Amino acid sequence: MRTVTTAGRWVMVGFTATTLALIPGTALAGKDGPTQGDTQTHGGLNNGQLTSAVQISGDKRQPGASPKGFIAASNWTPPACWYEPRSASEFQAYVEAFYDSTVNYPGQHSYAKQAVGQFRDIYKDGKYKNYNLDKASEGAFWVSVVNPDRADELGSMACSDLPEWVPNGTPPPFRQAITPEMLAQAAYGAIDLPATRVSLAPADNTKVNLGTWAWLDKNVFEPKSVTATLNAGGTTISATATATPASVRLKAGTQDATLHPGSGECAFNPGGGAGVPFTAGSENQTPPCGITYLRSSGNGTFPLQASVTWNASWTGSNGQGGALPSGTMEGEPQNVTVQEIQAVNR
């Protein structure tokens, strides 16, 4: 079984074919409650749906927003789903609320009521008795949740096993049971990186054979960190992912240009930022980071483009850590007008 998420909600999935592949979002059509409006979820109930207990904090994107322009250096995506614990009482509240909402919804199909009833019976009167409330301190139910940023992807359906009771100290029987490393990946996938746009001098209108200075503000392009924390069902783990800008690469938009340095790649300075802001009196100097155009752009412009390479790493609450895939943030083209200085001979 798989729920339909709305922005910022990480909801429970995985009820198998015994429930006739029922989708709660369909069964409860028209009954969506308000979204939480943030990826700081709290593992509670939202109109009968169980949201993830994972909390995302730090330099994060808005819910549902994509990292526009970001290209990972390798074929990498954050996890689409995983399993996390829920106390016996929390799990009971979810199942009962979902059951009541489904069977009492006007016009609900009988197969949907039957499927949800079958699911409820497993934990109320079947494999488990009364949701293991008499063993509440001895373990937790592990359930599957979906990453809202990948909710519409096929990978979000990979966590399709039924929730299971796991005694304290026993490894969960799920390959995708949540770990600090998975939290780190989810945190990294949520980092909000600034759009890549370099400052230029001259700004939009430069001259042939005149060095155009380019730089990035150290107060904007600085390390960005996001922390993902899970505190639920007796489990408390967290991880922090940090992306650090490493270099900016310039593309002049024409072959008739000289890049500075020749590679077109400017490393970030030890104190932050890349390149050097232009100052008065530097007109005749070669910029440490920039472009010298060798011909006029005529009646048009040259589409200068910059991309920032970000390196990433993570640290977990279990003492582990390591590298995460680096990536580049491609900027939108910046139109530069290049004019040719006309000399008049007398």
Side-chain angles (χ1 to χ4, degrees), residues 235-317:
T235 296
T236 300
I237 55 176
S238 65
T240 297
T242 300
T244 303
S247 64
V248 57
R249 180 176 293 277
L250 302 176
K251 296 179 181 178
T254 174
Q255 293 183 345
D256 295 317
T258 299
L259 299 173
H260 310 292
S263 64
E265 186 169 9
C266 309
F268 269 71
N269 306 316
V276 177
F278 175 82
T279 57
S282 302
E283 292 85 353
N284 297 322
Q285 297 181 19
T286 299
C289 182
I291 299 170
T292 297
Y293 287 96
L294 305 179
R295 70 174 177 88
S296 166
S297 58
N299 294 325
T301 58
F302 292 132
L304 181 152
Q305 189 173 28
S307 60
V308 172
T309 295
W310 294 80
N311 294 331
S313 61
W314 69 279
T315 56
S317 56

Side-chain angles (χ1 to χ4, degrees), residues 11-333:
V11 301
M12 180 175 169
V13 296
F15 286 4
T16 76
T18 62
T19 61
L20 309 181
L22 172 66
I23 300 177
T26 301
L28 302 177
K31 296 195 66 176
D32 265 343
T35 67
Q36 296 181 11
D38 201 338
T39 45
Q40 281 195 344
T41 56
H42 303 283
L45 291 171
N46 190 335
N47 197 37
Q49 294 182 327
L50 187 63
T51 59
S52 173
V54 171
Q55 295 190 37
I56 303 290
S57 60
D59 300 313
K60 63 184 185 299
R61 297 191 310 277
Q62 291 300 312
S66 61
K68 185 178 181 181
F70 184 79
I71 303 173
S74 59
N75 186 19
W76 179 88
T77 54
C81 64
W82 60 67
Y83 296 86
E84 62 183 48
R86 202 64 78 242
S87 70
S89 59
E90 289 172 336
F91 185 67
Q92 177 198 34
Y94 163 71
V95 175
E96 291 298 324
F98 179 64
Y99 174 80
D100 290 342
S101 295
T102 302
V103 299
N104 294 320
Y105 185 69
Q108 183 63 269
H109 294 291
S110 59
Y111 74 82
K113 296 180 181 180
Q114 180 183 11
V116 173
Q118 291 174 353
F119 174 75
R120 179 193 189 214
D121 288 344
I122 294 174
Y123 303 96
K124 191 174 188 301
D125 302 306
K127 179 179 180 180
Y128 304 97
K129 302 301 180 183
N130 197 27
Y131 302 98
N132 274 4
L133 291 175
D134 60 335
K135 303 177 182 178
S137 63
E138 301 175 16
F141 283 101
W142 281 68
V143 302
S144 56
V145 295
V146 168
N147 184 336
D149 289 338
R150 300 192 60 197
D152 296 328
E153 299 179 28
L154 184 61
S156 67
M157 302 183 69
C159 303
S160 58
D161 292 335
L162 284 168
E164 288 194 30
W165 176 264
V166 180
N168 295 333
T170 302
F174 305 109
R175 182 177 61 85
Q176 291 168 280
I178 193 68
T179 64
E181 184 172 6
M182 292 175 67
L183 285 176
Q185 294 171 351
Y188 180 43
I191 290 180
D192 184 28
L193 298 179
T196 300
R197 184 177 180 85
V198 293
S199 298
L200 300 172
D204 302 308
N205 193 324
T206 188
K207 302 294 188 290
V208 173
N209 294 324
L210 175 67
T212 299
W213 294 57
W215 67 94
L216 293 173
D217 188 345
K218 65 180 180 180
N219 295 321
V220 176
F221 293 87
E222 59 184 0
K224 305 291 183 180
S225 294
V226 166
T227 297
T229 303
L230 172 68
N231 185 1
T235 296
T236 300
I237 55 176
S238 65
T240 297
T242 300
T244 303
S247 64
V248 57
R249 180 176 293 277
L250 302 176
K251 296 179 181 178
T254 174
Q255 293 183 345
D256 295 317
T258 299
L259 299 173
H260 310 292
S263 64
E265 186 169 9
C266 309
F268 269 71
N269 306 316
V276 177
F278 175 82
T279 57
S282 302
E283 292 85 353
N284 297 322
Q285 297 181 19
T286 299
C289 182
I291 299 170
T292 297
Y293 287 96
L294 305 179
R295 70 174 177 88
S296 166
S297 58
N299 294 325
T301 58
F302 292 132
L304 181 152
Q305 189 173 28
S307 60
V308 172
T309 295
W310 294 80
N311 294 331
S313 61
W314 69 279
T315 56
S317 56
N318 59 353
Q320 294 181 342
L324 288 165
S326 62
T328 57
M329 196 71 169
E330 297 281 352
E332 296 289 337

